[in-house]
Each structure stands twice: as structure tokens, then as C-alpha cells.
Amino acid sequence: MTTRSTELLRVVHHRPGVTRADAARLLGVGTGAATELVTKLSRASLLVQAPAAPSGSRGRPTTVLLPHPEGPLVLAVAITHEAWRIDVVELGGATAATRSGRHAATGWDEVRAAVAAAIAEIISRYGDRPRAVGVSVPGTVSRTLRLDASTAGWHDVDLTELWPHAGVFVAGNDATLAATAESHRGAAANASVAVHLRIEAGLGGAVVENGRPVIGARGAAGEFGHMPFGDPSIRCPCGASGCWGTAVDGTALARFLGEPAPRDPVTYARRVIAAAAPGSTEMIAVRSVAAALGRGVAGLVNGLDADLVTLGGLGVDLLAAAPDAIEEAYRDGLMLIHRDSPPPVLPAALGDEEGPIAGAAEQAWTALLPHLT
Ligand SMILES: [Zn+2]
């Protein structure tokens, strides 16, 4: 079919239930042409038309456009160090089914076997409706879909083995996909340049420009935690010294409190933040880490001229526990040109579990739509 058919599907994907008249306006076509496109896409089992709920006003009845109940599906897969989850996602973003499992501290072969078996089971249930897969992983993904996740010990693994016969296969880093989702359906919707930062065992994220993440030449962009905004006397596991990530995570809190480096820095950080009563040493540690976060955010805003910055992971906890410490350091680090209306620093609207898998679904739909029409 045509590019206009793809555009119409994209409109229904972003606004399921859009009226046929609004869809025609968004596409810039007349009602006759819109009716023709809708008829074509209905016959191809991609859309259905339904009468809109009565609005109470008189006039001609309105028709809304919805995903076809037997239409194509994408599989959104999120793999973390501890667990995996697959969402079966309809056009429009609704989840039709979910599968999940846990795999703490196992090799890639075991993870691959579990996820591939679940995908095979989904395909046996949904037949030829699943047409694309998007995979979120805790590492970097090359252009040839090979994953390197050093903390999990997964090196140069071939992600396409999860579903070798997939029609469309896309994959990306979890923080990058969370950033993409935030720009499509979250707090950064409609931003021209958005920065998303996620603090966990390290600090990662992505710059998203007009809905598209900057992924870098090797798929390794967004390693903001390794910019030298930290204490130059601290050596980072990445091999550099003075990395920002070492100043804003659980290890920074432990150092401040004179405790040994925690085995699980995320759980440790949450415990310290929860214990940070006003005036306590924990609160002093939390405020110093929050200030290090705010200073670095200012650096990113100065460098990228972002519309806004969203925070995920421990960033949300720090924003709740010490908002003034973040704000003060942030404003202090901003260039004068940004100070009249500083780009907001907000918690991400999608949670830490939802962001990466929602981003994987969006990326899969973006890649699939042109193939459907
Ligand atoms: Zn580093």
C-alpha cells in the first residue's frame, strides 16, 4: 500500500480510538480519501471502525478507529540481570498477554532457552499474528544485534537466537529504551531534546531528539555515569577515575558513611535514603549525593540544551528525599541563559520496570509499521 496507510496506522497506534475525521485532519487528506484508506486497512485486518460513544450532541454519528482484534502483534521482551518478561502488545500499545520468569545469576544459554521457549509458546497460541520483536537488555547492542552485558557476564551473544524466524527484530539498551518510551508516552512527550537518566548500580540514560534516541556509533551512547563530574581520587570499575556515577550511587553513600562498598549498591542506597531523617548522618550523605546529581544534570543541560530531564531508578528516590539539594546544585551549575526558566528535572512517568519494555514495544512497532502496508 502507501506511505499514507503507514501514517494512518501510526496515528491509530499513538491515539487508538481517534475519530476518522481527526485522523483525516492529522494526515492532511480529505474525508473521501480517509474513508478509502480506512476501508483498505480494515480489509487487511489492521483496523476496525466503531461508532463513537454518544457525546450527547446532535449531528452525524462519529466513527472511531481501533486496532483490529485479529491484527498484528509485537512481542516486547525485557531481560534484566535477574528476570525476563515478554509482553504481547497490540497496535495502540495495549498488552494482550504477559509471560515472565526469573534467572538469577545464570549464564546466557539458560536465559536464551527460557525466553525462546516462551516465545515459541506465544507463537503457538497467536499463530501468525506476532510479526516483530523488540528486546531490552542491560548492556550494549551492536548494529548486528549482538549483546555485551559485562556485569551479567554475557559477551558477544547473538540476540536473534531468541526468535530466529522473526520478521522484524530490534533490540536496545534498557536505559535507552526507557528514555524512548518516556519521550513517546511519558513525561517527555513532545520534548524536542529530552535527557533521561537512570541511576542503579551505575548511571546510564539517553538523549532523545524528536522521539529518536542517540545510540552512538557502536550502540554505546548514554554512558553519562562515566563523565568526569566526580571526585578525581576515586577509581571507577570502568578503568577511568573521577566518574560521575561513583559520586551518585550506593557506593558513594557508603564512602560518605565510612562503610565498606556494598555488595548490592541499589538495595543499600534505598535503605540509607529511607533512614535519612532530618539532621541524621544518613541525610547529610544523601544530600551530598543529591548535590552531585544536580551538578552533573546542570552540565548535561548546559551541553545539550535539553527541554527537560527525567530521572529513573535511584534518581526518583533522591528527588523525593532531597529535592532542594538537587535543585540548588542544579541551578548553581546552570549557565545564566538557562536560569530564567531552568528545564525541569522530573521523575520519569513510566516506572523502572515499565519504561524499558514499553520502549522495546515502541521500537518494534516503529520498525514494523512500514512493513504492514
Ligand atoms: Zn567510569
Side-chain angles (χ1 to χ4, degrees), residues 198-296:
R198 198 153 70 118
I199 308 173
E200 290 191 316
L203 192 165
V207 179
V208 182
E209 186 168 19
N210 297 317
R212 296 174 74 91
V214 175
I215 59 166
R218 291 164 200 80
E223 295 286 353
F224 301 120
H226 303 285
M227 298 194 298
F229 294 167
D231 178 347
S233 70
I234 305 294
R235 180 67 68 178
C236 174
C238 79
S241 58
C243 286
W244 185 27
T246 63
V248 296
D249 66 357
T251 64
L253 290 169
R255 221 165 31 244
F256 208 94
L257 295 169
E259 291 177 9
R263 274 188 50 218
D264 179 349
V266 178
T267 308
Y268 174 86
R270 292 226 154 89
R271 201 169 60 227
V272 172
I273 293 168
S280 63
T281 43
E282 283 87 356
M283 184 53 103
I284 297 168
V286 167
R287 291 184 66 83
S288 103
V289 161
L293 177 62
R295 259 195 313 281

Side-chain angles (χ1 to χ4, degrees), residues 193 294 297-302 305-310 326-346:
V193 177
V297 171
L300 284 173
V301 168
N302 290 342
D305 189 16
D307 289 321
L308 88 168
V309 178
T310 53
I326 293 178
E327 182 72 15
E328 200 178 307
Y330 171 54
R331 283 182 177 258
D332 201 47
L334 279 180
M335 294 162 68
L336 264 181
I337 57 162
H338 295 299
R339 281 199 206 168
D340 281 346
S341 53
V345 180
L346 304 169

